[in-house]
Amino acid sequence: ASGSSSAESAKSKKIPQLAEYIKSDKCKRIVLMLGAGVSTAAGIPDFRSPKTGLYANLQRLNLPHPEAVFEIGFFRRNPVPFYTLARELYPGKFRPTLTHSFIRLLAQHDLLHMCFTQNIDTLERQAGVPDDKIIEAHGSFASSRCIECLRPYDNDDMKIMVECQDIPHCHHCENLVKPEIVFFGEALPPKFVNSIGKVSEADLLLIIGTSLTVHPFASLAWRASDSTPRVLINMDSVGDLGHRRSDVVLLGKCDDIVVELAKELGWYDELVALWDET
Ligand code: APR
């Protein structure tokens, strides 16, 4: 019993200490690294959670292996599984979470240096995070292009094709079209590559809702300077978080932790007001 209470009391001190640091003038530039765990509360499954993760629920698409749904080689041969999934994930049906609104709140307090996200759901934009502070490292559904001649494909046409489960083809060269989501085997957007340096400028790195299994995104966590606290907010421990003296590991649902942090910061009412706007 004493063990758990000491663990509990240790955790209970971490969030007030984190809030104190965020309020201090040592903390001016906060960098975020987001994964699918941030959007599960919005109703979008993550990828690798054992029962609920997307990769555990794609049997109906009879793929050779789950990740094939996002592999460019497989897509060229058979675009149907991707477009079946695209219909379920397409933006417009989901509301941002409290965690997304907290990121907007950081920007409003002039503390958001950059928000790197692996998510393709555009919920950061929908939550009102400033566009110049968002790096969608794995692209998003926000635009589409022919995979051969690279001509842009109209967004409204894409929305209609996805809704009625047609496979869109390029009006110019008849080849397959796909949303600009970064598939396995494709390069990450130049905006990501050009912004990597922002991580080393961070006074605080918040890593939220990711298994840190996909590179090069995951390697951003190693770019924070040794003196920069790296805070993991996740259901379980991942990556090398906890190995550095200044690491902080907060295990639990991100929305619960973010609410506790907002209360410690005295920002709870602002957070709820922002979230009510989404
Ligand atoms: N609160 C906190 N953590 C959560 C929550 C939640 N509500 N829900 C899930 N998690 C955690 C899971 O425990 C897991 O550690 O979020 C993590 C999600 O990990 P993944 O499912 O692997 O998602 P992600 O890390 O974003 O995947 C990276 O893999 O398939 C590719 O390109 C795809 O961007 C994706 C990349």
Side-chain angles (χ1 to χ4, degrees):
S2 64
S4 61
S5 63
S6 65
E8 271 313 303
S9 66
K11 178 180 168 186
S12 66
K13 278 206 272 307
K14 287 180 187 175
I15 292 181
Q17 285 168 349
L18 175 58
E20 198 181 324
Y21 178 70
I22 290 173
K23 290 259 205 199
S24 77
D25 46 14
K26 280 199 296 285
C27 182
K28 292 184 173 55
R29 291 179 297 270
I30 301 178
V31 169
L32 277 292
M33 288 173 59
L34 308 183
V38 171
S39 299
T40 51
I44 303 173
D46 68 12
F47 294 93
R48 296 174 180 81
S49 281
K51 297 245 179 313
T52 53
L54 213 56
Y55 289 152
N57 290 282
L58 293 179
Q59 290 79 358
R60 67 193 181 292
L61 302 179
N62 45 55
L63 299 160
H65 48 273
E67 288 85 349
V69 71
F70 291 123
E71 283 172 1
I72 192 69
F74 181 87
F75 177 79
R76 282 184 202 283
R77 293 192 301 279
N78 176 8
V80 173
F82 169 75
Y83 276 107
T84 306
L85 192 59
R87 187 152 186 256
E88 293 167 24
L89 295 178
Y90 213 80
K93 295 183 264 209
F94 305 101
R95 179 187 178 191
T97 66
L98 280 159
T99 300
H100 290 107
S101 292
F102 181 74
I103 299 162
R104 181 182 176 189
L105 193 51
L106 288 175
Q108 284 194 340
H109 284 268
D110 208 15
L111 288 169
L112 180 61
H113 195 46
M114 193 55 78
C115 174
F116 291 88
T117 184
Q118 298 171 91
N119 300 339
I120 57 177
D121 53 38
T122 70
L123 287 181
E124 299 88 1
R125 302 184 194 199
Q126 289 181 52
V129 178
D131 202 52
D132 64 329
K133 300 285 186 187
I134 300 172
I135 303 282
E136 291 164 336
H138 293 169
S140 80
F141 281 102
S143 58
S144 302
R145 201 176 280 278
C146 172
I147 63 171
E148 296 306 334
C149 74
L150 303 183
R151 267 180 177 69
Y153 186 84
D154 179 77
N155 271 357
D156 296 338
D157 290 353
M158 175 56 81
K159 202 169 167 57
I160 293 163
M161 297 301 269
V162 169
E163 268 314 303
C164 51
Q165 284 296 278
D166 271 347
I167 306 295
H169 288 83
C170 176
H171 299 311
H172 177 78
C173 72
E174 294 298 309
N175 281 294
L176 281 169
V177 169
K178 84 174 183 58
E180 291 196 277
I181 291 165
V182 178
F183 275 32
F184 291 110
E186 286 188 311
L188 270 65
K191 200 178 169 190
F192 172 83
V193 177
N194 300 335
S195 306
I196 289 176
K198 295 278 181 190
V199 182
S200 56
E201 298 163 358
D203 305 314
L204 175 63
L205 179 61
L206 301 180
I207 303 170
I208 311 179
T210 177
S211 61
L212 287 180
T213 42
V214 172
H215 289 267
F217 188 93
S219 59
L220 289 179
W222 304 330
R223 292 176 177 273
S225 67
D226 284 339
S227 58
T228 299
R230 303 184 310 172
V231 181
L232 175 71
I233 298 175
N234 206 58
M235 291 296 271
D236 42 28
S237 251
V238 296
D240 70 334
L241 273 299
H243 291 188
R244 291 187 188 183
R245 212 174 37 76
S246 52
D247 283 352
V248 178
V249 176
L250 301 173
L251 298 183
K253 288 185 185 299
C254 53
D255 283 0
D256 296 346
I257 293 170
V258 155
V259 162
E260 222 182 304
L261 180 56
K263 285 177 177 168
E264 283 296 330
L265 288 161
W267 298 353
Y268 179 68
D269 295 345
E270 288 173 71
L271 175 63
V272 173
L274 283 183
W275 192 51
D276 284 347
E277 282 174 28
T278 62

